[in-house]
Amino acid sequence: MAPQFTARERTFLSTKYHETKSPTEVQRLFRLQFPTANRVSCKGAVYKNVNKLNVHGTLRNRQPEASGRPRTARSQVNIARVRHALQQDQRSAQSFTQHSPIKLLPDRS
């Protein structure tokens, strides 16, 4: 999935479309204006931004909390849960090997 357009890029797409009425021309102008942008402005992106402005009156992300992958993996609560689970797992593994009827032989290489 391509990164989202910045607010400046979205404004540029919409403004240039209203000036030129040509998504192809907007694409060409976009590449000239933002040569280092690592996203491609396809015709669909131009139309979506213009439509969003016409329908909702804004180019901003209307649901930033629902946009993209949730960033909960590194929360303090999750870090503590994972640390606790690993400690429990380590204790279980030690207990299992100490009380197991199967004893591992030492490596004779």
Side-chain angles (χ1 to χ4, degrees):
M1 177 184 252
Q4 291 185 356
F5 290 106
T6 64
R8 186 170 169 232
E9 292 167 343
R10 291 177 189 190
T11 303
F12 180 86
L13 291 173
S14 183
T15 304
K16 291 302 175 187
Y17 179 79
H18 284 293
E19 289 174 8
T20 65
K21 301 295 185 208
S22 169
T24 306
E25 182 65 13
V26 173
Q27 288 175 302
R28 188 184 71 74
L29 293 170
F30 183 85
R31 285 190 291 273
L32 291 173
Q33 181 71 26
F34 303 100
T36 59
N38 61 352
R39 62 196 69 57
V40 177
S41 68
C42 63
K43 290 179 185 179
V46 174
Y47 287 129
K48 282 182 181 179
N49 275 286
V50 171
N51 186 49
K52 185 176 190 177
L53 180 63
N54 292 338
V55 172
H56 301 291
T58 183
L59 291 172
R60 291 182 177 217
N61 188 352
R62 294 175 52 235
Q63 296 178 323
E65 69 282 348
S67 167
R69 184 176 181 173
R71 296 180 181 235
T72 60
R74 295 280 305 168
S75 72
Q76 293 301 319
V77 172
N78 282 349
I79 291 171
R81 285 181 183 162
V82 170
R83 183 173 290 127
H84 179 72
L86 289 173
Q87 290 169 348
Q88 292 298 323
D89 189 48
Q90 188 176 24
R91 289 183 195 134
S92 297
Q94 288 172 350
S95 175
F96 175 77
T97 54
Q98 289 172 355
H99 297 70
S100 174
I102 302 171
K103 300 296 179 192
L104 298 175
L105 298 175
D107 187 20
R108 295 183 185 237
S109 48

